[in-house]
Amino acid sequence: MFMRGLIIGRFQPLHKGHLAAIREALAACDDLVIVIGSAELSHTAENPFTAGERYQMLLSSLGEEERSRVHIIPVRDVNRYAAWVSHVESYVPPFDLVFSNNDLTRSLFSGAGYSARRTKAYNSKSYSGTEIRRRIAADEKWHQLVPAPVAAIVESLGGRQRLLDAGLKPKKRR
């Protein structure tokens, strides 16, 4: 029986933890819908990259066979939990299983009748968008935390300057 999964993330930026979770989900499904959440947000300290830039990060980090099995779909926020699942459903093809490490996301989709499961936590202390953005702004080592194509995209976009312009204070780790 054909099984389609769904995974949602902001991917600000895509990091190796995200990529491992995507690959784990792909191993459990025939194909996977990857939702780029908060698609309307960009150029802020928490959401520095556009939906198109995040799309390119995802596409360039997946192998050819993986790309043939994913649907990457940007979805705007609705800022209303009661409407969120139906909002996502309206943007994506039908799916059977939701992958998320966010308790609220799993709860909302489970409440709507979907099977929802966690993925493994992949070094979540370092593989954290918040930590990677902090390191970029502080000009600390961060390239090893993201796939090489993502590092190249962030550099080509002037990611550090974008974060500084958005007001992220470059705090050095103590």
Side-chain angles (χ1 to χ4, degrees), residues 13-20 61 122-136 140-151 173:
L14 175 75
H15 55 66
K16 290 180 178 177
H18 289 134
L19 195 54
S61 297
Y122 298 95
N123 190 5
S124 58
K125 186 176 259 187
S126 294
Y127 294 145
S128 152
T130 301
E131 174 61 14
I132 293 166
R133 291 189 304 274
R134 184 200 67 76
R135 287 184 185 200
I136 293 169
E140 294 178 7
K141 291 185 178 188
W142 60 273
H143 294 80
Q144 75 281 8
L145 302 175
V146 301
V150 171
R173 185 151 288 238

Side-chain angles (χ1 to χ4, degrees), residues 5 20 24 27 34 46 53 87 92 95 99 105 111 116 118-119 151 167 169 172:
E24 180 182 335
I34 303 172
E46 281 193 2
E53 291 162 351
H87 177 70
V92 304
F95 56 93
F99 297 88
T105 297
R118 296 180 72 80
T119 60
K169 305 291 185 237
K172 296 277 185 183

Side-chain angles (χ1 to χ4, degrees), residues 136-138 159-170:
I136 293 169
R160 181 169 190 267
Q161 190 60 50
R162 186 180 293 186
L163 284 163
L164 295 174
D165 290 347
L168 188 63
K169 305 291 185 237

